[in-house]
Short mmCIF file of all heavy atoms in Angstrom, two decimals:
data_model
loop_
_atom_site.label_atom_id
_atom_site.label_comp_id
_atom_site.label_asym_id
_atom_site.label_seq_id
_atom_site.Cartn_x
_atom_site.Cartn_y
_atom_site.Cartn_z
N ASN A 10 176.51 -142.51 -30.45
CA ASN A 10 175.74 -141.34 -30.00
C ASN A 10 174.39 -141.75 -29.43
O ASN A 10 173.93 -141.20 -28.43
CB ASN A 10 175.53 -140.36 -31.17
CG ASN A 10 176.81 -139.62 -31.52
OD1 ASN A 10 177.65 -139.38 -30.66
ND2 ASN A 10 176.96 -139.26 -32.79
N GLU A 11 173.75 -142.76 -30.06
CA GLU A 11 172.45 -143.20 -29.58
C GLU A 11 172.56 -143.80 -28.19
O GLU A 11 171.73 -143.51 -27.30
CB GLU A 11 171.84 -144.22 -30.54
CG GLU A 11 170.44 -144.66 -30.12
CD GLU A 11 169.79 -145.63 -31.11
OE1 GLU A 11 170.49 -146.08 -32.04
OE2 GLU A 11 168.60 -145.94 -30.92
N ALA A 12 173.59 -144.62 -27.97
CA ALA A 12 173.77 -145.24 -26.65
C ALA A 12 174.02 -144.18 -25.59
O ALA A 12 173.46 -144.24 -24.49
CB ALA A 12 174.93 -146.23 -26.69
N ARG A 13 174.84 -143.18 -25.93
CA ARG A 13 175.14 -142.12 -24.96
C ARG A 13 173.86 -141.37 -24.58
O ARG A 13 173.61 -141.08 -23.41
CB ARG A 13 176.18 -141.17 -25.54
CG ARG A 13 176.73 -140.18 -24.51
CD ARG A 13 177.80 -139.27 -25.10
NE ARG A 13 178.98 -140.04 -25.49
CZ ARG A 13 179.33 -140.27 -26.77
NH1 ARG A 13 178.58 -139.82 -27.74
NH2 ARG A 13 180.39 -140.98 -27.05
N GLN A 14 173.04 -141.06 -25.59
CA GLN A 14 171.78 -140.36 -25.33
C GLN A 14 170.85 -141.20 -24.47
O GLN A 14 170.22 -140.70 -23.52
CB GLN A 14 171.09 -140.01 -26.66
CG GLN A 14 171.82 -138.94 -27.47
CD GLN A 14 171.22 -138.75 -28.85
OE1 GLN A 14 170.21 -139.37 -29.20
NE2 GLN A 14 171.85 -137.91 -29.65
N LYS A 15 170.74 -142.49 -24.79
CA LYS A 15 169.85 -143.37 -24.04
C LYS A 15 170.33 -143.54 -22.60
O LYS A 15 169.54 -143.53 -21.66
CB LYS A 15 169.75 -144.74 -24.73
CG LYS A 15 169.06 -144.72 -26.10
CD LYS A 15 167.58 -144.52 -25.96
CE LYS A 15 166.86 -144.48 -27.29
NZ LYS A 15 166.88 -145.75 -28.01
N PHE A 16 171.64 -143.72 -22.42
CA PHE A 16 172.19 -143.88 -21.06
C PHE A 16 171.94 -142.63 -20.22
O PHE A 16 171.58 -142.72 -19.05
CB PHE A 16 173.69 -144.18 -21.12
CG PHE A 16 174.04 -145.55 -21.63
CD1 PHE A 16 175.27 -145.80 -22.22
CD2 PHE A 16 173.14 -146.60 -21.52
CE1 PHE A 16 175.60 -147.07 -22.68
CE2 PHE A 16 173.46 -147.88 -21.97
CZ PHE A 16 174.69 -148.11 -22.56
N ASN A 17 172.14 -141.46 -20.83
CA ASN A 17 171.92 -140.22 -20.09
C ASN A 17 170.46 -140.01 -19.73
O ASN A 17 170.14 -139.45 -18.68
CB ASN A 17 172.43 -139.02 -20.91
CG ASN A 17 173.93 -138.83 -20.78
OD1 ASN A 17 174.49 -138.97 -19.69
ND2 ASN A 17 174.60 -138.53 -21.88
N LYS A 18 169.57 -140.49 -20.59
CA LYS A 18 168.13 -140.31 -20.36
C LYS A 18 167.60 -141.29 -19.32
O LYS A 18 166.89 -140.92 -18.39
CB LYS A 18 167.38 -140.47 -21.68
CG LYS A 18 165.87 -140.30 -21.56
CD LYS A 18 165.21 -140.43 -22.92
CE LYS A 18 163.69 -140.23 -22.80
NZ LYS A 18 163.02 -140.35 -24.13
N ILE A 19 167.96 -142.57 -19.47
CA ILE A 19 167.39 -143.61 -18.62
C ILE A 19 168.20 -143.81 -17.34
O ILE A 19 167.65 -144.19 -16.30
CB ILE A 19 167.28 -144.93 -19.42
CG1 ILE A 19 166.28 -144.73 -20.58
CG2 ILE A 19 166.86 -146.10 -18.54
CD1 ILE A 19 166.17 -145.89 -21.53
N ARG A 20 169.51 -143.49 -17.38
CA ARG A 20 170.38 -143.66 -16.22
C ARG A 20 170.28 -145.07 -15.66
O ARG A 20 169.79 -145.30 -14.55
CB ARG A 20 170.04 -142.65 -15.11
CG ARG A 20 169.96 -141.20 -15.53
CD ARG A 20 171.25 -140.65 -16.08
NE ARG A 20 172.36 -140.75 -15.15
CZ ARG A 20 173.62 -140.35 -15.43
NH1 ARG A 20 173.89 -139.85 -16.64
NH2 ARG A 20 174.57 -140.47 -14.56
N PRO A 21 170.73 -146.09 -16.41
CA PRO A 21 170.62 -147.48 -15.93
C PRO A 21 171.38 -147.69 -14.63
O PRO A 21 172.45 -147.11 -14.42
CB PRO A 21 171.23 -148.29 -17.08
CG PRO A 21 172.13 -147.33 -17.80
CD PRO A 21 171.44 -146.00 -17.69
N HIS A 22 170.83 -148.55 -13.78
CA HIS A 22 171.44 -148.83 -12.48
C HIS A 22 172.51 -149.90 -12.56
O HIS A 22 173.41 -149.94 -11.73
CB HIS A 22 170.37 -149.26 -11.47
CG HIS A 22 169.38 -148.17 -11.16
ND1 HIS A 22 169.74 -146.98 -10.60
CD2 HIS A 22 168.04 -148.11 -11.36
CE1 HIS A 22 168.66 -146.22 -10.44
NE2 HIS A 22 167.62 -146.87 -10.90
N THR A 23 172.37 -150.81 -13.54
CA THR A 23 173.33 -151.92 -13.66
C THR A 23 173.69 -152.12 -15.13
O THR A 23 173.00 -151.64 -16.03
CB THR A 23 172.74 -153.22 -13.11
OG1 THR A 23 171.65 -153.63 -13.97
CG2 THR A 23 172.24 -153.06 -11.69
N LEU A 24 174.75 -152.88 -15.36
CA LEU A 24 175.13 -153.23 -16.73
C LEU A 24 174.05 -154.09 -17.38
O LEU A 24 173.82 -154.00 -18.59
CB LEU A 24 176.47 -153.98 -16.73
CG LEU A 24 177.73 -153.11 -16.79
CD1 LEU A 24 178.96 -153.98 -16.70
CD2 LEU A 24 177.76 -152.27 -18.06
N GLY A 25 173.40 -154.93 -16.58
CA GLY A 25 172.31 -155.74 -17.12
C GLY A 25 171.21 -154.88 -17.68
O GLY A 25 170.70 -155.11 -18.78
N GLN A 26 170.80 -153.86 -16.92
CA GLN A 26 169.77 -152.95 -17.40
C GLN A 26 170.25 -152.21 -18.64
O GLN A 26 169.51 -152.05 -19.62
CB GLN A 26 169.37 -151.95 -16.31
CG GLN A 26 168.24 -151.02 -16.74
CD GLN A 26 167.98 -149.88 -15.78
OE1 GLN A 26 168.56 -149.83 -14.70
NE2 GLN A 26 167.13 -148.96 -16.18
N ALA A 27 171.49 -151.75 -18.64
CA ALA A 27 172.04 -151.03 -19.79
C ALA A 27 171.98 -151.88 -21.06
O ALA A 27 171.70 -151.38 -22.15
CB ALA A 27 173.49 -150.62 -19.50
N SER A 28 172.22 -153.19 -20.90
CA SER A 28 172.24 -154.08 -22.07
C SER A 28 170.86 -154.27 -22.69
O SER A 28 170.75 -154.69 -23.84
CB SER A 28 172.82 -155.45 -21.68
OG SER A 28 171.91 -156.15 -20.84
N ARG A 29 169.79 -153.97 -21.93
CA ARG A 29 168.43 -154.19 -22.44
C ARG A 29 167.77 -152.93 -22.98
O ARG A 29 166.62 -152.98 -23.41
CB ARG A 29 167.56 -154.80 -21.32
CG ARG A 29 168.01 -156.18 -20.88
CD ARG A 29 166.99 -156.83 -19.96
NE ARG A 29 166.82 -156.09 -18.71
CZ ARG A 29 167.60 -156.24 -17.65
NH1 ARG A 29 168.62 -157.08 -17.68
NH2 ARG A 29 167.38 -155.54 -16.53
N ILE A 30 168.47 -151.82 -22.95
CA ILE A 30 167.88 -150.57 -23.43
C ILE A 30 167.79 -150.61 -24.95
O ILE A 30 168.76 -150.95 -25.64
CB ILE A 30 168.70 -149.36 -22.95
CG1 ILE A 30 168.63 -149.26 -21.43
CG2 ILE A 30 168.20 -148.07 -23.61
CD1 ILE A 30 169.52 -148.18 -20.84
N SER A 31 166.62 -150.27 -25.48
CA SER A 31 166.42 -150.27 -26.92
C SER A 31 167.39 -149.31 -27.60
O SER A 31 167.55 -148.17 -27.18
CB SER A 31 164.98 -149.85 -27.23
OG SER A 31 164.75 -149.81 -28.61
N GLY A 32 168.06 -149.80 -28.65
CA GLY A 32 169.01 -148.96 -29.39
C GLY A 32 170.44 -149.09 -28.92
O GLY A 32 171.35 -148.55 -29.54
N VAL A 33 170.66 -149.81 -27.81
CA VAL A 33 172.01 -150.02 -27.30
C VAL A 33 172.56 -151.33 -27.87
O VAL A 33 171.92 -152.38 -27.76
CB VAL A 33 172.01 -150.06 -25.75
CG1 VAL A 33 173.37 -150.49 -25.21
CG2 VAL A 33 171.60 -148.70 -25.20
N ASN A 34 173.75 -151.26 -28.46
CA ASN A 34 174.36 -152.44 -29.07
C ASN A 34 175.27 -153.17 -28.08
O ASN A 34 175.75 -152.57 -27.11
CB ASN A 34 175.20 -152.02 -30.29
CG ASN A 34 174.35 -151.38 -31.37
OD1 ASN A 34 173.28 -151.87 -31.69
ND2 ASN A 34 174.84 -150.28 -31.93
N PRO A 35 175.52 -154.47 -28.32
CA PRO A 35 176.45 -155.21 -27.45
C PRO A 35 177.81 -154.53 -27.33
O PRO A 35 178.44 -154.58 -26.26
CB PRO A 35 176.55 -156.58 -28.14
CG PRO A 35 175.25 -156.73 -28.87
CD PRO A 35 174.89 -155.35 -29.32
N SER A 36 178.28 -153.89 -28.41
CA SER A 36 179.58 -153.22 -28.35
C SER A 36 179.56 -152.06 -27.36
O SER A 36 180.57 -151.78 -26.69
CB SER A 36 179.97 -152.71 -29.75
OG SER A 36 178.99 -151.82 -30.25
N ASP A 37 178.41 -151.37 -27.26
CA ASP A 37 178.29 -150.28 -26.29
C ASP A 37 178.41 -150.81 -24.86
O ASP A 37 179.04 -150.18 -24.00
CB ASP A 37 176.95 -149.57 -26.46
CG ASP A 37 176.81 -148.87 -27.80
OD1 ASP A 37 177.79 -148.23 -28.23
OD2 ASP A 37 175.73 -148.98 -28.42
N VAL A 38 177.79 -151.97 -24.63
CA VAL A 38 177.86 -152.58 -23.30
C VAL A 38 179.29 -153.02 -23.00
O VAL A 38 179.77 -152.86 -21.87
CB VAL A 38 176.88 -153.77 -23.20
CG1 VAL A 38 176.97 -154.42 -21.82
CG2 VAL A 38 175.46 -153.32 -23.47
N GLN A 39 179.97 -153.56 -24.00
CA GLN A 39 181.37 -153.97 -23.80
C GLN A 39 182.25 -152.78 -23.45
O GLN A 39 183.10 -152.86 -22.55
CB GLN A 39 181.89 -154.64 -25.09
CG GLN A 39 181.26 -155.98 -25.40
CD GLN A 39 181.73 -157.08 -24.46
OE1 GLN A 39 182.75 -156.94 -23.78
NE2 GLN A 39 180.99 -158.19 -24.41
N ILE A 40 182.03 -151.66 -24.13
CA ILE A 40 182.81 -150.44 -23.83
C ILE A 40 182.56 -150.00 -22.40
O ILE A 40 183.50 -149.67 -21.66
CB ILE A 40 182.43 -149.32 -24.83
CG1 ILE A 40 182.92 -149.68 -26.23
CG2 ILE A 40 183.00 -147.98 -24.39
CD1 ILE A 40 182.33 -148.82 -27.32
N LEU A 41 181.31 -150.02 -22.00
CA LEU A 41 180.94 -149.63 -20.64
C LEU A 41 181.56 -150.58 -19.62
O LEU A 41 182.08 -150.16 -18.58
CB LEU A 41 179.41 -149.63 -20.51
CG LEU A 41 178.79 -148.96 -19.29
CD1 LEU A 41 179.23 -147.51 -19.19
CD2 LEU A 41 177.27 -149.04 -19.38
N MET A 42 181.54 -151.86 -19.94
CA MET A 42 182.09 -152.88 -19.04
C MET A 42 183.60 -152.70 -18.87
O MET A 42 184.14 -152.77 -17.75
CB MET A 42 181.79 -154.27 -19.59
CG MET A 42 182.13 -155.42 -18.64
SD MET A 42 181.83 -157.03 -19.39
CE MET A 42 180.08 -156.93 -19.76
N VAL A 43 184.29 -152.45 -19.98
CA VAL A 43 185.75 -152.27 -19.92
C VAL A 43 186.10 -151.03 -19.09
O VAL A 43 187.00 -151.06 -18.23
CB VAL A 43 186.33 -152.14 -21.35
CG1 VAL A 43 187.78 -151.68 -21.30
CG2 VAL A 43 186.22 -153.47 -22.08
N TYR A 44 185.38 -149.94 -19.33
CA TYR A 44 185.66 -148.70 -18.60
C TYR A 44 185.43 -148.88 -17.10
O TYR A 44 186.24 -148.44 -16.28
CB TYR A 44 184.78 -147.57 -19.14
CG TYR A 44 185.15 -146.22 -18.58
CD1 TYR A 44 186.13 -145.44 -19.19
CD2 TYR A 44 184.55 -145.74 -17.43
CE1 TYR A 44 186.49 -144.21 -18.68
CE2 TYR A 44 184.89 -144.50 -16.90
CZ TYR A 44 185.86 -143.73 -17.53
OH TYR A 44 186.21 -142.52 -17.02
N MET A 45 184.34 -149.55 -16.75
CA MET A 45 184.03 -149.77 -15.34
C MET A 45 185.05 -150.71 -14.72
O MET A 45 185.42 -150.58 -13.55
CB MET A 45 182.62 -150.33 -15.19
CG MET A 45 181.53 -149.30 -15.45
SD MET A 45 179.89 -149.97 -15.18
CE MET A 45 179.96 -150.30 -13.43
N GLY A 46 185.53 -151.68 -15.52
CA GLY A 46 186.55 -152.60 -15.03
C GLY A 46 187.83 -151.87 -14.67
O GLY A 46 188.54 -152.21 -13.72
N ARG A 47 188.15 -150.82 -15.44
CA ARG A 47 189.33 -150.03 -15.13
C ARG A 47 189.16 -149.23 -13.85
O ARG A 47 190.12 -148.91 -13.17
CB ARG A 47 189.61 -149.07 -16.30
CG ARG A 47 190.08 -149.78 -17.56
CD ARG A 47 190.20 -148.78 -18.71
NE ARG A 47 190.61 -149.42 -19.95
CZ ARG A 47 190.60 -148.82 -21.13
NH1 ARG A 47 190.19 -147.57 -21.23
NH2 ARG A 47 190.99 -149.45 -22.20
#
């Protein structure tokens, strides 16, 4: 839930930026990466 809130608020431009957002875990980035890969 925290990652979803942070992503919606900050609207990262890249996966790299998403990975550096405070409160976002590596697993959240992996989920995002897998979904985008699909």
Side-chain angles (χ1 to χ4, degrees):
N10 286 331
E11 183 177 8
R13 190 178 295 108
Q14 291 172 3
K15 293 287 180 67
F16 288 155
N17 278 319
K18 180 178 181 180
I19 296 174
R20 309 298 302 178
H22 295 299
T23 67
L24 273 177
Q26 183 189 353
S28 70
R29 295 190 297 275
I30 295 174
S31 179
V33 172
N34 297 316
S36 58
D37 295 317
V38 179
Q39 291 288 342
I40 291 167
L41 193 57
M42 188 183 301
V43 169
Y44 188 87
M45 287 183 65
R47 291 175 182 170

